[in-house]
Amino acid sequence: MHPRIEDYALIGDEQTAALVGRDGSVDWLCLPRFDSAACFAKLLGDEDNGHWRIAPKGVDGPCTRRAYRPDTLVLDTEWETADGAIRVTDLMPQRDEAPDLVRIVEGLRGRVTVHSALRLRFDYGAVMPWVRESHGHRVAVAGPDSVWLRSEPQVHTWGEDFGTHAEFTVEEGEKVAFVLTWHPSHRPRPALIDPYEALEASVRDWRAWAGQCRYDGPYREAVIRSLITLKALTYRPTGGIVAAATTSLPEELGGVRNWDYRYCWLRDSTLTLNVGLSAGYREEAEAWRDWLLRAVAGDPADLQIMYGLAGERRLPEFEVPWLSGFRGSAPVRIGNEAVNQLQLDVYGEVMDTLALAREAGLHTEPHMWAIQVALVEWLRAHWQQPDEGLWEVRGGRRHFVHSKVMVWVAADRAVRTLEHNPELDGDLEGWRAFRDEVHREVCERGYDAERNTFTQSYGSTELDAAVLLIPRLGFLPADDPRVIGTIDAVRAELSQDGMLRRYSTEGRSVDGLPGSEGAFVACSFWLAEALHMAGRAKEARELFDHLVGLANDVGLLAEEYDPVAGHQLGNFPQAFSHIGLVNTALALSGDGGAG
């Protein structure tokens, strides 16, 4: 039986992450960073592309139960068998030097024989390493990569079928630990960690971090799980947050809408900062703001929609033909060509984020205002050109309404900053006129008076879920008849069993791609928040309850959801979805602030 996207759980060390299936198999792991080549790529291929399964001998199916330890990223997977029961605990402790994957097998009842099958395949499943023994460890080397497998002295490992195997028995109370450690092959082996001490420290540290959360409403469990997921998707050395831990998980099974999301998007910036500040994570919010300032520094004309984990600009896209794709959904893509697109909305996202940071009292970098002035001045000179929009369409540029609204946001935040900080230099009157001009044009050219709704682009009859952000952004008040009409129109035309698609993919779609996609989870959260802001609290809460219920058994959400087939779609877990969950929960409880 093929796994589903929701069959996976996430573990990570805030520099990379692994996906663990219900069957006890680690099917995805990139080392040493989120965007490095995978050494376990079964997720996008088969067993020969790399995986590591630990489970009771002879058990091929899923576990009996699994769960994260409360308020942590430590995963417990349990099996009940005729001979007894075991638990496998998976974690990636925060690293001092090298990344470690720790797997601890514990006997819970009876006497169970356990089998471990490890197949390492570097470079996204393409390169089989040379494996040897050294000081009682198994060492796999190929090119720049070296991985060490360490187990308890009583566990015998052997090579078979181009993999490393182990078989052992555990009785109640007995524990057997494995540690998989990566390091550059030209460097000496890093210091060994104690797996049991690493487990205790990880549980302690995650719970201390989760305890800082200020939200104490009815959705606390879902909010904490989302915040932990966002923390796990943060590249700790720089503060950048990746959109997801994976590449090429399909937006349609068997389709071609498969993209690499292991990078940092500016479109997430304001909502991410709002999550951090509102939930009580000021340090993380400040780290993200600082990453943003470094990434966007330079000529405003060169502003990109996304960057690498440390702010890298070149993310060339290519296909990996030896991987068949998740359940046959090819191609598998590495890199993301959308990095070269023009998306005017990112200027608004950056201006909004930096304005929010200033208003929240985050320490102000001396060059921050100079960057903002340069961005708004470039935008004032270029805002009237079409762009690819926040959905990164590949069907040609248009005058997207959301993009123009974000142009207004950029001008508005510049004006607001000057009004509240008169010591700063800027063209206050000129920016006010710029803001008013954009507002007037959007209301004239982006609004369909006959249908009482804002549209996807100027002159288009198509709708777009992104215009639901108009009240959150402050472009129009939530009780404006045009906003109410837009909420109802978007809900009527883009709804799919209660959830929202981003836009219509029927006929000649704006994105220029064949096939379709699922309902977009973040857009559905936007609808819930828009309903709440419009005073329709009961509808908002019912929709929010439904969306929270779509998370998998360990609380994780992908990018999209197929409400007909009832399964998750797209890259996983998706930061944008979890940001939407937290922001909407905060808004429903009155703790969230609009931009």
Side-chain angles (χ1 to χ4, degrees), residues 383 401 404-405 408 435-450 452-455 458 470 475-477 480 482-483:
W383 73 276
V401 171
K404 305 302 187 187
V405 169
W408 176 89
R435 177 182 65 179
D436 294 345
E437 181 186 3
V438 177
H439 197 280
R440 185 166 50 250
E441 180 180 288
V442 170
C443 291
E444 290 175 356
R445 301 183 62 190
Y447 172 72
D448 184 336
E450 290 185 12
N452 188 28
T453 182
F454 285 94
T455 59
Y458 291 173
I470 282 175
F475 185 84
L476 286 173
D480 187 290
R482 292 166 291 185
V483 171

PDB file of all heavy atoms in Angstrom, residues 383 401 404-405 408 435-450 452-455 458 470 475-477 480 482-483:
ATOM      1  N   TRP A 383       5.460  50.487 -10.213  1.00  0.00           N
ATOM      2  CA  TRP A 383       4.312  49.721  -9.747  1.00  0.00           C
ATOM      3  C   TRP A 383       3.268  49.464 -10.824  1.00  0.00           C
ATOM      4  O   TRP A 383       2.454  48.552 -10.687  1.00  0.00           O
ATOM      5  CB  TRP A 383       3.660  50.429  -8.553  1.00  0.00           C
ATOM      6  CG  TRP A 383       2.892  51.674  -8.908  1.00  0.00           C
ATOM      7  CD1 TRP A 383       3.403  52.928  -9.067  1.00  0.00           C
ATOM      8  CD2 TRP A 383       1.483  51.775  -9.129  1.00  0.00           C
ATOM      9  NE1 TRP A 383       2.408  53.817  -9.367  1.00  0.00           N
ATOM     10  CE2 TRP A 383       1.217  53.143  -9.414  1.00  0.00           C
ATOM     11  CE3 TRP A 383       0.426  50.875  -9.119  1.00  0.00           C
ATOM     12  CZ2 TRP A 383      -0.072  53.601  -9.690  1.00  0.00           C
ATOM     13  CZ3 TRP A 383      -0.855  51.342  -9.387  1.00  0.00           C
ATOM     14  CH2 TRP A 383      -1.097  52.682  -9.666  1.00  0.00           C
ATOM     15  N   VAL A 401      -4.651  41.985  -8.779  1.00  0.00           N
ATOM     16  CA  VAL A 401      -5.217  42.897  -7.784  1.00  0.00           C
ATOM     17  C   VAL A 401      -4.470  42.778  -6.457  1.00  0.00           C
ATOM     18  O   VAL A 401      -4.153  43.797  -5.826  1.00  0.00           O
ATOM     19  CB  VAL A 401      -6.722  42.615  -7.600  1.00  0.00           C
ATOM     20  CG1 VAL A 401      -7.279  43.406  -6.422  1.00  0.00           C
ATOM     21  CG2 VAL A 401      -7.478  42.971  -8.878  1.00  0.00           C
ATOM     22  N   LYS A 404      -1.303  44.766  -6.530  1.00  0.00           N
ATOM     23  CA  LYS A 404      -1.508  46.216  -6.430  1.00  0.00           C
ATOM     24  C   LYS A 404      -1.912  46.620  -5.014  1.00  0.00           C
ATOM     25  O   LYS A 404      -1.524  47.685  -4.524  1.00  0.00           O
ATOM     26  CB  LYS A 404      -2.577  46.671  -7.430  1.00  0.00           C
ATOM     27  CG  LYS A 404      -2.299  46.287  -8.880  1.00  0.00           C
ATOM     28  CD  LYS A 404      -0.982  46.810  -9.405  1.00  0.00           C
ATOM     29  CE  LYS A 404      -0.865  46.521 -10.909  1.00  0.00           C
ATOM     30  NZ  LYS A 404       0.460  46.844 -11.463  1.00  0.00           N
ATOM     31  N   VAL A 405      -2.703  45.769  -4.353  1.00  0.00           N
ATOM     32  CA  VAL A 405      -3.048  46.056  -2.962  1.00  0.00           C
ATOM     33  C   VAL A 405      -1.779  46.077  -2.102  1.00  0.00           C
ATOM     34  O   VAL A 405      -1.629  46.932  -1.225  1.00  0.00           O
ATOM     35  CB  VAL A 405      -4.048  45.000  -2.426  1.00  0.00           C
ATOM     36  CG1 VAL A 405      -4.206  45.115  -0.905  1.00  0.00           C
ATOM     37  CG2 VAL A 405      -5.401  45.168  -3.102  1.00  0.00           C
ATOM     38  N   TRP A 408      -0.052  49.277  -2.452  1.00  0.00           N
ATOM     39  CA  TRP A 408      -0.678  50.235  -1.535  1.00  0.00           C
ATOM     40  C   TRP A 408      -0.156  50.043  -0.115  1.00  0.00           C
ATOM     41  O   TRP A 408       0.126  51.022   0.597  1.00  0.00           O
ATOM     42  CB  TRP A 408      -2.201  50.067  -1.569  1.00  0.00           C
ATOM     43  CG  TRP A 408      -2.904  50.946  -0.577  1.00  0.00           C
ATOM     44  CD1 TRP A 408      -3.339  52.220  -0.766  1.00  0.00           C
ATOM     45  CD2 TRP A 408      -3.226  50.619   0.784  1.00  0.00           C
ATOM     46  NE1 TRP A 408      -3.903  52.707   0.390  1.00  0.00           N
ATOM     47  CE2 TRP A 408      -3.846  51.744   1.357  1.00  0.00           C
ATOM     48  CE3 TRP A 408      -3.038  49.486   1.568  1.00  0.00           C
ATOM     49  CZ2 TRP A 408      -4.290  51.766   2.683  1.00  0.00           C
ATOM     50  CZ3 TRP A 408      -3.469  49.506   2.896  1.00  0.00           C
ATOM     51  CH2 TRP A 408      -4.089  50.625   3.438  1.00  0.00           C
ATOM     52  N   ARG A 435       0.087  56.541  -2.455  1.00  0.00           N
ATOM     53  CA  ARG A 435      -0.845  55.613  -1.805  1.00  0.00           C
ATOM     54  C   ARG A 435      -2.272  55.828  -2.306  1.00  0.00           C
ATOM     55  O   ARG A 435      -2.974  54.867  -2.642  1.00  0.00           O
ATOM     56  CB  ARG A 435      -0.773  55.807  -0.286  1.00  0.00           C
ATOM     57  CG  ARG A 435      -1.740  54.949   0.501  1.00  0.00           C
ATOM     58  CD  ARG A 435      -1.650  55.226   1.993  1.00  0.00           C
ATOM     59  NE  ARG A 435      -2.071  56.587   2.329  1.00  0.00           N
ATOM     60  CZ  ARG A 435      -2.114  57.078   3.570  1.00  0.00           C
ATOM     61  NH1 ARG A 435      -1.736  56.309   4.588  1.00  0.00           N
ATOM     62  NH2 ARG A 435      -2.499  58.309   3.798  1.00  0.00           N
ATOM     63  N   ASP A 436      -2.683  57.081  -2.371  1.00  0.00           N
ATOM     64  CA  ASP A 436      -4.058  57.384  -2.798  1.00  0.00           C
ATOM     65  C   ASP A 436      -4.294  57.003  -4.256  1.00  0.00           C
ATOM     66  O   ASP A 436      -5.373  56.530  -4.626  1.00  0.00           O
ATOM     67  CB  ASP A 436      -4.361  58.867  -2.588  1.00  0.00           C
ATOM     68  CG  ASP A 436      -4.380  59.242  -1.113  1.00  0.00           C
ATOM     69  OD1 ASP A 436      -4.436  58.336  -0.267  1.00  0.00           O
ATOM     70  OD2 ASP A 436      -4.310  60.462  -0.807  1.00  0.00           O
ATOM     71  N   GLU A 437      -3.279  57.205  -5.089  1.00  0.00           N
ATOM     72  CA  GLU A 437      -3.398  56.862  -6.509  1.00  0.00           C
ATOM     73  C   GLU A 437      -3.585  55.353  -6.686  1.00  0.00           C
ATOM     74  O   GLU A 437      -4.435  54.909  -7.480  1.00  0.00           O
ATOM     75  CB  GLU A 437      -2.160  57.334  -7.272  1.00  0.00           C
ATOM     76  CG  GLU A 437      -2.211  57.027  -8.765  1.00  0.00           C
ATOM     77  CD  GLU A 437      -0.915  57.381  -9.493  1.00  0.00           C
ATOM     78  OE1 GLU A 437       0.048  57.823  -8.822  1.00  0.00           O
ATOM     79  OE2 GLU A 437      -0.865  57.198 -10.721  1.00  0.00           O
ATOM     80  N   VAL A 438      -2.803  54.577  -5.969  1.00  0.00           N
ATOM     81  CA  VAL A 438      -2.918  53.119  -6.066  1.00  0.00           C
ATOM     82  C   VAL A 438      -4.286  52.665  -5.570  1.00  0.00           C
ATOM     83  O   VAL A 438      -4.952  51.830  -6.201  1.00  0.00           O
ATOM     84  CB  VAL A 438      -1.795  52.420  -5.266  1.00  0.00           C
ATOM     85  CG1 VAL A 438      -1.972  50.908  -5.316  1.00  0.00           C
ATOM     86  CG2 VAL A 438      -0.428  52.805  -5.803  1.00  0.00           C
ATOM     87  N   HIS A 439      -4.718  53.208  -4.461  1.00  0.00           N
ATOM     88  CA  HIS A 439      -6.019  52.830  -3.897  1.00  0.00           C
ATOM     89  C   HIS A 439      -7.139  53.115  -4.886  1.00  0.00           C
ATOM     90  O   HIS A 439      -8.025  52.275  -5.111  1.00  0.00           O
ATOM     91  CB  HIS A 439      -6.244  53.590  -2.584  1.00  0.00           C
ATOM     92  CG  HIS A 439      -7.325  52.997  -1.725  1.00  0.00           C
ATOM     93  ND1 HIS A 439      -8.660  53.214  -1.957  1.00  0.00           N
ATOM     94  CD2 HIS A 439      -7.250  52.188  -0.625  1.00  0.00           C
ATOM     95  CE1 HIS A 439      -9.379  52.582  -1.030  1.00  0.00           C
ATOM     96  NE2 HIS A 439      -8.547  51.943  -0.214  1.00  0.00           N
ATOM     97  N   ARG A 440      -7.084  54.269  -5.479  1.00  0.00           N
ATOM     98  CA  ARG A 440      -8.117  54.669  -6.436  1.00  0.00           C
ATOM     99  C   ARG A 440      -8.120  53.733  -7.640  1.00  0.00           C
ATOM    100  O   ARG A 440      -9.187  53.282  -8.087  1.00  0.00           O
ATOM    101  CB  ARG A 440      -7.857  56.113  -6.877  1.00  0.00           C
ATOM    102  CG  ARG A 440      -8.923  56.709  -7.782  1.00  0.00           C
ATOM    103  CD  ARG A 440      -8.764  58.225  -7.884  1.00  0.00           C
ATOM    104  NE  ARG A 440      -7.399  58.621  -8.210  1.00  0.00           N
ATOM    105  CZ  ARG A 440      -6.569  59.228  -7.349  1.00  0.00           C
ATOM    106  NH1 ARG A 440      -6.959  59.475  -6.103  1.00  0.00           N
ATOM    107  NH2 ARG A 440      -5.341  59.548  -7.703  1.00  0.00           N
ATOM    108  N   GLU A 441      -6.932  53.382  -8.155  1.00  0.00           N
ATOM    109  CA  GLU A 441      -6.873  52.525  -9.332  1.00  0.00           C
ATOM    110  C   GLU A 441      -7.388  51.123  -9.026  1.00  0.00           C
ATOM    111  O   GLU A 441      -8.127  50.537  -9.830  1.00  0.00           O
ATOM    112  CB  GLU A 441      -5.440  52.439  -9.865  1.00  0.00           C
ATOM    113  CG  GLU A 441      -5.345  51.543 -11.105  1.00  0.00           C
ATOM    114  CD  GLU A 441      -3.951  51.437 -11.668  1.00  0.00           C
ATOM    115  OE1 GLU A 441      -3.494  52.441 -12.244  1.00  0.00           O
ATOM    116  OE2 GLU A 441      -3.326  50.354 -11.543  1.00  0.00           O
ATOM    117  N   VAL A 442      -7.015  50.563  -7.876  1.00  0.00           N
ATOM    118  CA  VAL A 442      -7.469  49.223  -7.528  1.00  0.00           C
ATOM    119  C   VAL A 442      -8.989  49.181  -7.412  1.00  0.00           C
ATOM    120  O   VAL A 442      -9.642  48.249  -7.903  1.00  0.00           O
ATOM    121  CB  VAL A 442      -6.816  48.751  -6.216  1.00  0.00           C
ATOM    122  CG1 VAL A 442      -7.466  47.452  -5.725  1.00  0.00           C
ATOM    123  CG2 VAL A 442      -5.320  48.537  -6.402  1.00  0.00           C
ATOM    124  N   CYS A 443      -9.560  50.197  -6.794  1.00  0.00           N
ATOM    125  CA  CYS A 443     -11.019  50.220  -6.626  1.00  0.00           C
ATOM    126  C   CYS A 443     -11.742  50.431  -7.959  1.00  0.00           C
ATOM    127  O   CYS A 443     -12.889  49.984  -8.119  1.00  0.00           O
ATOM    128  CB  CYS A 443     -11.410  51.318  -5.637  1.00  0.00           C
ATOM    129  SG  CYS A 443     -10.895  50.957  -3.929  1.00  0.00           S
ATOM    130  N   GLU A 444     -11.087  51.069  -8.898  1.00  0.00           N
ATOM    131  CA  GLU A 444     -11.712  51.299 -10.207  1.00  0.00           C
ATOM    132  C   GLU A 444     -11.499  50.115 -11.149  1.00  0.00           C
ATOM    133  O   GLU A 444     -12.431  49.674 -11.829  1.00  0.00           O
ATOM    134  CB  GLU A 444     -11.135  52.570 -10.857  1.00  0.00           C
ATOM    135  CG  GLU A 444     -11.563  53.865 -10.172  1.00  0.00           C
ATOM    136  CD  GLU A 444     -10.871  55.087 -10.762  1.00  0.00           C
ATOM    137  OE1 GLU A 444      -9.997  54.899 -11.669  1.00  0.00           O
ATOM    138  OE2 GLU A 444     -11.162  56.206 -10.321  1.00  0.00           O
ATOM    139  N   ARG A 445     -10.279  49.586 -11.219  1.00  0.00           N
ATOM    140  CA  ARG A 445      -9.938  48.584 -12.225  1.00  0.00           C
ATOM    141  C   ARG A 445      -9.939  47.151 -11.705  1.00  0.00           C
ATOM    142  O   ARG A 445      -9.996  46.207 -12.495  1.00  0.00           O
ATOM    143  CB  ARG A 445      -8.565  48.903 -12.828  1.00  0.00           C
ATOM    144  CG  ARG A 445      -8.482  50.276 -13.491  1.00  0.00           C
ATOM    145  CD  ARG A 445      -7.133  50.500 -14.133  1.00  0.00           C
ATOM    146  NE  ARG A 445      -6.871  49.532 -15.196  1.00  0.00           N
ATOM    147  CZ  ARG A 445      -5.693  49.376 -15.795  1.00  0.00           C
ATOM    148  NH1 ARG A 445      -4.666  50.140 -15.421  1.00  0.00           N
ATOM    149  NH2 ARG A 445      -5.533  48.473 -16.740  1.00  0.00           N
ATOM    150  N   GLY A 446      -9.879  46.983 -10.393  1.00  0.00           N
ATOM    151  CA  GLY A 446      -9.819  45.641  -9.826  1.00  0.00           C
ATOM    152  C   GLY A 446     -11.109  45.202  -9.174  1.00  0.00           C
ATOM    153  O   GLY A 446     -11.167  44.119  -8.587  1.00  0.00           O
ATOM    154  N   TYR A 447     -12.154  46.033  -9.303  1.00  0.00           N
ATOM    155  CA  TYR A 447     -13.425  45.735  -8.651  1.00  0.00           C
ATOM    156  C   TYR A 447     -14.521  45.605  -9.699  1.00  0.00           C
ATOM    157  O   TYR A 447     -14.652  46.448 -10.590  1.00  0.00           O
ATOM    158  CB  TYR A 447     -13.766  46.854  -7.653  1.00  0.00           C
ATOM    159  CG  TYR A 447     -15.137  46.752  -7.048  1.00  0.00           C
ATOM    160  CD1 TYR A 447     -15.434  45.766  -6.112  1.00  0.00           C
ATOM    161  CD2 TYR A 447     -16.147  47.643  -7.407  1.00  0.00           C
ATOM    162  CE1 TYR A 447     -16.695  45.671  -5.553  1.00  0.00           C
ATOM    163  CE2 TYR A 447     -17.411  47.566  -6.849  1.00  0.00           C
ATOM    164  CZ  TYR A 447     -17.680  46.573  -5.919  1.00  0.00           C
ATOM    165  OH  TYR A 447     -18.934  46.487  -5.368  1.00  0.00           O
ATOM    166  N   ASP A 448     -15.284  44.524  -9.607  1.00  0.00           N
ATOM    167  CA  ASP A 448     -16.398  44.269 -10.512  1.00  0.00           C
ATOM    168  C   ASP A 448     -17.679  44.713  -9.816  1.00  0.00           C
ATOM    169  O   ASP A 448     -18.207  44.016  -8.940  1.00  0.00           O
ATOM    170  CB  ASP A 448     -16.446  42.773 -10.841  1.00  0.00           C
ATOM    171  CG  ASP A 448     -17.519  42.428 -11.873  1.00  0.00           C
ATOM    172  OD1 ASP A 448     -18.486  43.188 -12.008  1.00  0.00           O
ATOM    173  OD2 ASP A 448     -17.389  41.372 -12.526  1.00  0.00           O
ATOM    174  N   ALA A 449     -18.194  45.877 -10.209  1.00  0.00           N
ATOM    175  CA  ALA A 449     -19.349  46.452  -9.527  1.00  0.00           C
ATOM    176  C   ALA A 449     -20.602  45.618  -9.736  1.00  0.00           C
ATOM    177  O   ALA A 449     -21.459  45.531  -8.839  1.00  0.00           O
ATOM    178  CB  ALA A 449     -19.577  47.885 -10.015  1.00  0.00           C
ATOM    179  N   GLU A 450     -20.733  44.995 -10.898  1.00  0.00           N
ATOM    180  CA  GLU A 450     -21.928  44.193 -11.164  1.00  0.00           C
ATOM    181  C   GLU A 450     -22.012  42.990 -10.230  1.00  0.00           C
ATOM    182  O   GLU A 450     -23.101  42.617  -9.767  1.00  0.00           O
ATOM    183  CB  GLU A 450     -21.935  43.725 -12.621  1.00  0.00           C
ATOM    184  CG  GLU A 450     -22.179  44.853 -13.628  1.00  0.00           C
ATOM    185  CD  GLU A 450     -22.306  44.318 -15.043  1.00  0.00           C
ATOM    186  OE1 GLU A 450     -22.435  43.090 -15.203  1.00  0.00           O
ATOM    187  OE2 GLU A 450     -22.286  45.136 -15.981  1.00  0.00           O
ATOM    188  N   ASN A 452     -20.143  42.777  -7.423  1.00  0.00           N
ATOM    189  CA  ASN A 452     -19.770  43.254  -6.086  1.00  0.00           C
ATOM    190  C   ASN A 452     -18.624  42.443  -5.502  1.00  0.00           C
ATOM    191  O   ASN A 452     -18.694  41.895  -4.401  1.00  0.00           O
ATOM    192  CB  ASN A 452     -20.974  43.227  -5.134  1.00  0.00           C
ATOM    193  CG  ASN A 452     -20.659  43.905  -3.798  1.00  0.00           C
ATOM    194  OD1 ASN A 452     -19.815  44.798  -3.726  1.00  0.00           O
ATOM    195  ND2 ASN A 452     -21.351  43.482  -2.743  1.00  0.00           N
ATOM    196  N   THR A 453     -17.534  42.375  -6.266  1.00  0.00           N
ATOM    197  CA  THR A 453     -16.365  41.642  -5.787  1.00  0.00           C
ATOM    198  C   THR A 453     -15.101  42.158  -6.447  1.00  0.00           C
ATOM    199  O   THR A 453     -15.113  42.607  -7.597  1.00  0.00           O
ATOM    200  CB  THR A 453     -16.504  40.132  -6.075  1.00  0.00           C
ATOM    201  OG1 THR A 453     -15.360  39.455  -5.538  1.00  0.00           O
ATOM    202  CG2 THR A 453     -16.595  39.832  -7.566  1.00  0.00           C
ATOM    203  N   PHE A 454     -14.004  42.093  -5.694  1.00  0.00           N
ATOM    204  CA  PHE A 454     -12.695  42.315  -6.300  1.00  0.00           C
ATOM    205  C   PHE A 454     -12.311  41.054  -7.073  1.00  0.00           C
ATOM    206  O   PHE A 454     -12.649  39.935  -6.683  1.00  0.00           O
ATOM    207  CB  PHE A 454     -11.651  42.622  -5.221  1.00  0.00           C
ATOM    208  CG  PHE A 454     -11.772  44.007  -4.663  1.00  0.00           C
ATOM    209  CD1 PHE A 454     -12.511  44.246  -3.511  1.00  0.00           C
ATOM    210  CD2 PHE A 454     -11.164  45.083  -5.303  1.00  0.00           C
ATOM    211  CE1 PHE A 454     -12.641  45.530  -3.002  1.00  0.00           C
ATOM    212  CE2 PHE A 454     -11.287  46.374  -4.797  1.00  0.00           C
ATOM    213  CZ  PHE A 454     -12.031  46.601  -3.644  1.00  0.00           C
ATOM    214  N   THR A 455     -11.614  41.257  -8.166  1.00  0.00           N
ATOM    215  CA  THR A 455     -11.280  40.156  -9.061  1.00  0.00           C
ATOM    216  C   THR A 455      -9.813  39.768  -8.943  1.00  0.00           C
ATOM    217  O   THR A 455      -9.053  40.384  -8.199  1.00  0.00           O
ATOM    218  CB  THR A 455     -11.599  40.530 -10.513  1.00  0.00           C
ATOM    219  OG1 THR A 455     -10.831  41.697 -10.862  1.00  0.00           O
ATOM    220  CG2 THR A 455     -13.085  40.822 -10.685  1.00  0.00           C
ATOM    221  N   TYR A 458      -6.886  42.975 -13.215  1.00  0.00           N
ATOM    222  CA  TYR A 458      -7.638  44.020 -13.897  1.00  0.00           C
ATOM    223  C   TYR A 458      -8.321  43.451 -15.145  1.00  0.00           C
ATOM    224  O   TYR A 458      -7.691  42.761 -15.954  1.00  0.00           O
ATOM    225  CB  TYR A 458      -6.715  45.154 -14.326  1.00  0.00           C
ATOM    226  CG  TYR A 458      -6.149  45.990 -13.196  1.00  0.00           C
ATOM    227  CD1 TYR A 458      -5.173  46.957 -13.456  1.00  0.00           C
ATOM    228  CD2 TYR A 458      -6.585  45.839 -11.878  1.00  0.00           C
ATOM    229  CE1 TYR A 458      -4.644  47.754 -12.442  1.00  0.00           C
ATOM    230  CE2 TYR A 458      -6.060  46.627 -10.865  1.00  0.00           C
ATOM    231  CZ  TYR A 458      -5.084  47.565 -11.141  1.00  0.00           C
ATOM    232  OH  TYR A 458      -4.567  48.347 -10.137  1.00  0.00           O
ATOM    233  N   ILE A 470      -7.681  41.722   1.943  1.00  0.00           N
ATOM    234  CA  ILE A 470      -7.908  43.171   1.888  1.00  0.00           C
ATOM    235  C   ILE A 470      -8.256  43.767   3.247  1.00  0.00           C
ATOM    236  O   ILE A 470      -7.659  44.781   3.648  1.00  0.00           O
ATOM    237  CB  ILE A 470      -8.973  43.495   0.815  1.00  0.00           C
ATOM    238  CG1 ILE A 470      -8.327  43.422  -0.583  1.00  0.00           C
ATOM    239  CG2 ILE A 470      -9.621  44.857   1.038  1.00  0.00           C
ATOM    240  CD1 ILE A 470      -9.296  43.605  -1.732  1.00  0.00           C
ATOM    241  N   PHE A 475      -6.643  47.752   3.723  1.00  0.00           N
ATOM    242  CA  PHE A 475      -6.962  48.448   2.472  1.00  0.00           C
ATOM    243  C   PHE A 475      -8.394  48.974   2.503  1.00  0.00           C
ATOM    244  O   PHE A 475      -8.673  50.090   2.043  1.00  0.00           O
ATOM    245  CB  PHE A 475      -6.766  47.491   1.296  1.00  0.00           C
ATOM    246  CG  PHE A 475      -6.958  48.117  -0.058  1.00  0.00           C
ATOM    247  CD1 PHE A 475      -5.927  48.795  -0.687  1.00  0.00           C
ATOM    248  CD2 PHE A 475      -8.176  48.022  -0.710  1.00  0.00           C
ATOM    249  CE1 PHE A 475      -6.098  49.366  -1.933  1.00  0.00           C
ATOM    250  CE2 PHE A 475      -8.373  48.585  -1.958  1.00  0.00           C
ATOM    251  CZ  PHE A 475      -7.332  49.272  -2.574  1.00  0.00           C
ATOM    252  N   LEU A 476      -9.315  48.177   3.021  1.00  0.00           N
ATOM    253  CA  LEU A 476     -10.707  48.583   3.247  1.00  0.00           C
ATOM    254  C   LEU A 476     -11.155  47.965   4.564  1.00  0.00           C
ATOM    255  O   LEU A 476     -10.674  46.885   4.947  1.00  0.00           O
ATOM    256  CB  LEU A 476     -11.621  48.095   2.116  1.00  0.00           C
ATOM    257  CG  LEU A 476     -11.546  48.816   0.768  1.00  0.00           C
ATOM    258  CD1 LEU A 476     -12.404  48.079  -0.259  1.00  0.00           C
ATOM    259  CD2 LEU A 476     -11.968  50.278   0.877  1.00  0.00           C
ATOM    260  N   PRO A 477     -12.096  48.594   5.264  1.00  0.00           N
ATOM    261  CA  PRO A 477     -12.601  47.995   6.505  1.00  0.00           C
ATOM    262  C   PRO A 477     -13.405  46.732   6.223  1.00  0.00           C
ATOM    263  O   PRO A 477     -13.971  46.567   5.138  1.00  0.00           O
ATOM    264  CB  PRO A 477     -13.474  49.106   7.102  1.00  0.00           C
ATOM    265  CG  PRO A 477     -13.810  50.004   5.966  1.00  0.00           C
ATOM    266  CD  PRO A 477     -12.662  49.931   5.008  1.00  0.00           C
ATOM    267  N   ASP A 480     -16.995  47.020   4.920  1.00  0.00           N
ATOM    268  CA  ASP A 480     -17.260  47.691   3.648  1.00  0.00           C
ATOM    269  C   ASP A 480     -18.064  46.743   2.751  1.00  0.00           C
ATOM    270  O   ASP A 480     -17.735  45.560   2.641  1.00  0.00           O
ATOM    271  CB  ASP A 480     -15.934  48.065   2.969  1.00  0.00           C
ATOM    272  CG  ASP A 480     -16.123  48.923   1.731  1.00  0.00           C
ATOM    273  OD1 ASP A 480     -16.621  48.393   0.710  1.00  0.00           O
ATOM    274  OD2 ASP A 480     -15.769  50.119   1.781  1.00  0.00           O
ATOM    275  N   ARG A 482     -18.059  46.256  -0.312  1.00  0.00           N
ATOM    276  CA  ARG A 482     -17.224  45.607  -1.325  1.00  0.00           C
ATOM    277  C   ARG A 482     -16.455  44.426  -0.733  1.00  0.00           C
ATOM    278  O   ARG A 482     -16.217  43.418  -1.407  1.00  0.00           O
ATOM    279  CB  ARG A 482     -16.254  46.625  -1.939  1.00  0.00           C
ATOM    280  CG  ARG A 482     -16.940  47.689  -2.785  1.00  0.00           C
ATOM    281  CD  ARG A 482     -16.008  48.854  -3.096  1.00  0.00           C
ATOM    282  NE  ARG A 482     -15.710  49.623  -1.884  1.00  0.00           N
ATOM    283  CZ  ARG A 482     -14.990  50.760  -1.862  1.00  0.00           C
ATOM    284  NH1 ARG A 482     -14.489  51.224  -3.007  1.00  0.00           N
ATOM    285  NH2 ARG A 482     -14.782  51.402  -0.734  1.00  0.00           N
ATOM    286  N   VAL A 483     -16.064  44.547   0.531  1.00  0.00           N
ATOM    287  CA  VAL A 483     -15.386  43.432   1.205  1.00  0.00           C
ATOM    288  C   VAL A 483     -16.365  42.297   1.470  1.00  0.00           C
ATOM    289  O   VAL A 483     -16.061  41.118   1.219  1.00  0.00           O
ATOM    290  CB  VAL A 483     -14.735  43.912   2.526  1.00  0.00           C
ATOM    291  CG1 VAL A 483     -14.213  42.719   3.330  1.00  0.00           C
ATOM    292  CG2 VAL A 483     -13.597  44.886   2.234  1.00  0.00           C
TER     293      VAL A 483
END
